Amino acid sequence: MSCGYVTDRRLAVKVRRDRFARQRRACGYSQESLADALGVDRTSIGRWERGENDPRPFLLPRLASLLKVTLLELDALLQRNAITETPVAQTKGGDLDDVIRRDFLQMVTMATTLSDLNPLGKAPGGRHMYQSMNDHLWRLYARAQSRSSLFPLVHAQIEELTSALGCAGSDIVRRQLCGDAAELFQLAGEVLFDCGRYTDAAHCYTLAASAAREVDHPDLWACALTRYAFIRLYGDHDSGRAVQLLDQAAALAQRGDSNLSTRYWVAAVQAEAYAVAGDVDSCKRALDRATEVRTLNGASRNGGWLRFDGSRLAEQRGTCYVRLRRFDLAESALSEVLREKLSTRRQSSVLTDLAMVGAQRRDVDQVVDCARQALTLAQRNASSYTACRLRTLKPTLTPFLADPRVRDLNARIDELHTTAPQSRGGAS
């Protein structure tokens, strides 16, 4: 097992080195000339390409400019591949991982050439077919018990859309298909995020942002950045980087469609990021901003890549209060949410927060009751997000491990796993 891990880590470093070096050469830079332009030692460029360390934060804007990429694209350029970094002993089905690496990542890499396509003919099937299928997939995603089951359908749609882009007959058709791609890659990222494949999800969100920028669609672009921020917040636990991405998303949303709820969704996610960072005043301001979504009419969301209508604000407010350690306010808000009809994923998240409130109050019965319910729901939907949320409980359980019920909970949380997405077969 350990040998497989070492081999995969070497592959991860090679992927990063080749990707970064290819972009550097495409922009006409040797390691020496890029180092001169940045004012750093040449060996620094080599260390970045080998994945030994990352550029200092103050260098990132200049580096992105020299390499002719956005900060978001630079972020993806510097990442290793999450699949190849996963120890073989921790994966569920090595052959399945090989299929994902070979087929899916090859497909998204092909789609990075969106802006360089040559018009060769008409897009097969007509553009409306792809939009209709995207809409259908988003509806399935909203209803799916296990979202990983959608991966085969999303994968097939990516193949179809990539093929259509390859024979787009005009700039108008190509731009329309780029818009469809910006939406579809966000859905692919959502599925992968829910399966815990954060770097692959980040790759998809980067492609979505690039395609949205290509067609100058601020709302789609802002939503891609917002979804990317979730990875920084819950995958990397980097609230500072999440805040930066959300600031960019907020600026884009301001020049988007004022009839859509984009800017208010961004504000709601900003509130979570500020809460994790412990910034009480900024969190409250962002929550107040998000509440303004209620001034919009029923057409404020499209039901697909933008679903924010304010119905989850009480839940988000409660989560923020937990992060800010305002447990009295959190319990009031979350208890109100539980009276509503919720998806299993949302129920599990709310119950996890209530278990955390119980732990802070040293109410072992509340901890055990809420956490057990959350565990049952998490096992039912096999979501990486809900598993990750439950694992945040573990540090709060330590003072109560003398209780056999709590020891059992702790062990069951450790046993949680998520189902990997599949690239072949049908949705269940």
Side-chain angles (χ1 to χ4, degrees):
M1 295 299 183
S2 61
C3 291
Y5 183 36
V6 171
T7 300
D8 278 353
R9 284 190 61 84
R10 287 173 179 165
L11 176 59
V13 171
K14 184 180 185 301
V15 168
R16 170 170 166 157
R17 182 184 66 231
D18 291 349
R19 195 165 50 201
F20 187 95
R22 187 163 52 248
Q23 185 67 25
R24 168 176 57 75
R25 289 192 295 268
C27 294
Y29 290 104
S30 64
Q31 287 189 350
E32 291 81 357
S33 60
L34 183 59
D36 288 342
L38 284 169
V40 299
D41 189 85
R42 183 195 66 78
T43 58
S44 295
I45 307 298
R47 287 196 296 271
W48 300 344
E49 291 185 0
R50 292 191 298 272
E52 294 174 4
N53 58 25
D54 291 324
R56 299 289 295 277
F58 70 87
L59 289 172
L60 294 177
R62 174 64 175 159
L63 180 59
S65 176
L66 292 172
L67 295 182
K68 299 178 181 178
V69 294
T70 65
L71 283 171
L72 180 60
E73 290 164 338
L74 178 63
D75 213 19
L77 202 64
L78 291 169
Q79 283 184 335
R80 298 181 183 90
N81 185 303
I83 293 176
T84 57
E85 285 186 317
T86 303
V88 176
Q90 295 180 7
T91 62
K92 185 180 180 182
D95 292 341
L96 181 60
D97 283 357
D98 290 340
V99 170
I100 295 169
R101 185 184 302 119
R102 183 179 64 249
D103 291 349
F104 183 74
L105 295 182
Q106 179 184 21
M107 195 58 58
V108 295
T109 301
M110 286 171 57
T112 60
T113 61
L114 292 180
S115 60
D116 299 321
L117 295 170
N118 294 316
L120 300 175
K122 290 186 178 180
R127 184 255 173 180
H128 68 280
M129 180 181 74
Y130 303 105
Q131 182 60 63
S132 297
M133 186 59 178
N134 282 358
D135 292 343
H136 177 62
L137 289 172
W138 278 111
R139 287 194 294 271
L140 289 177
Y141 176 80
R143 297 197 301 265
Q145 183 77 6
S146 175
R147 289 171 173 176
S148 64
S149 65
L150 285 180
F151 188 83
L153 293 176
V154 175
H155 183 276
Q157 177 74 341
I158 287 173
E159 288 180 314
E160 289 288 335
L161 189 51
T162 302
S163 176
L165 281 162
C167 56
S170 68
D171 185 61
I172 292 176
V173 172
R174 185 176 67 82
R175 287 174 60 82
Q176 289 174 331
L177 291 172
C178 277
D180 292 339
E183 179 179 344
L184 181 60
F185 279 119
Q186 291 195 53
L187 177 56
E190 291 279 83
V191 174
L192 288 164
F193 176 84
D194 207 56
C195 295
R197 300 199 176 275
Y198 298 129
T199 299
D200 295 329
H203 194 165
C204 288
Y205 295 148
T206 300
L207 288 171
S210 298
R213 182 186 62 183
E214 173 79 5
V215 296
D216 193 24
H217 196 312
D219 290 290
L220 262 174
W221 191 353
C223 286
L225 290 177
T226 301
R227 289 186 163 96
Y228 195 104
F230 265 107
I231 296 174
R232 289 305 193 191
L233 198 56
Y234 293 106
D236 300 337
H237 306 289
D238 185 349
S239 59
R241 185 65 180 127
V243 167
Q244 291 175 356
L245 287 166
L246 290 164
D247 285 345
Q248 296 175 45
L252 283 167
Q254 282 301 116
R255 65 179 186 86
D257 186 345
S258 61
N259 293 315
L260 291 176
S261 61
T262 314
R263 64 197 65 190
Y264 305 115
W265 182 44
V266 175
V269 181
Q270 281 179 312
E272 289 190 48
Y274 288 134
V276 172
D279 188 338
V280 178
D281 292 337
S282 295
C283 177
K284 288 180 177 178
R285 284 194 296 271
L287 284 171
D288 289 343
R289 174 66 168 154
T291 303
E292 294 176 21
V293 70
R294 292 168 179 161
T295 64
L296 298 179
N297 59 36
S300 64
R301 60 192 183 120
N302 66 18
W305 50 270
L306 180 62
R307 302 187 300 280
F308 185 74
D309 62 358
S311 60
R312 299 186 180 187
L313 275 172
E315 177 182 339
Q316 289 168 308
R317 190 178 296 274
T319 297
C320 288
Y321 286 146
V322 170
R323 301 284 189 277
L324 294 169
R325 305 183 67 81
R326 295 295 305 275
F327 298 113
D328 52 338
L329 297 174
E331 185 163 34
S332 175
L334 294 169
S335 298
E336 176 187 337
V337 172
L338 277 184
R339 299 189 190 101
E340 303 173 10
K341 184 178 181 180
L342 304 175
S343 66
T344 54
R345 173 175 164 147
R346 290 178 63 192
Q347 278 183 281
S348 181
S349 181
V350 171
L351 286 164
T352 299
D353 281 334
L354 284 170
M356 195 168 293
V357 171
Q360 294 299 324
R361 290 183 169 173
R362 306 192 69 80
D363 185 339
V364 180
D365 290 336
Q366 179 172 330
V367 172
V368 171
D369 181 51
C370 291
R372 278 178 176 171
Q373 293 181 63
L375 266 167
T376 300
L377 294 168
Q379 290 167 336
R380 186 184 305 169
N381 71 2
S383 164
S384 172
Y385 173 77
T386 52
C388 181
R389 295 280 285 108
L390 271 163
R391 289 190 185 105
T392 63
L393 264 181
K394 285 179 61 64
T396 67
L397 298 180
T398 303
F400 314 109
L401 288 176
D403 189 311
R405 298 174 300 167
V406 177
R407 288 200 301 273
D408 177 64
L409 270 176
N410 197 52
R412 288 176 63 191
I413 291 173
D414 284 335
E415 292 169 1
L416 274 177
H417 65 267
T418 56
T419 303
Q422 300 179 23
S423 62
R424 293 288 182 266
S428 60

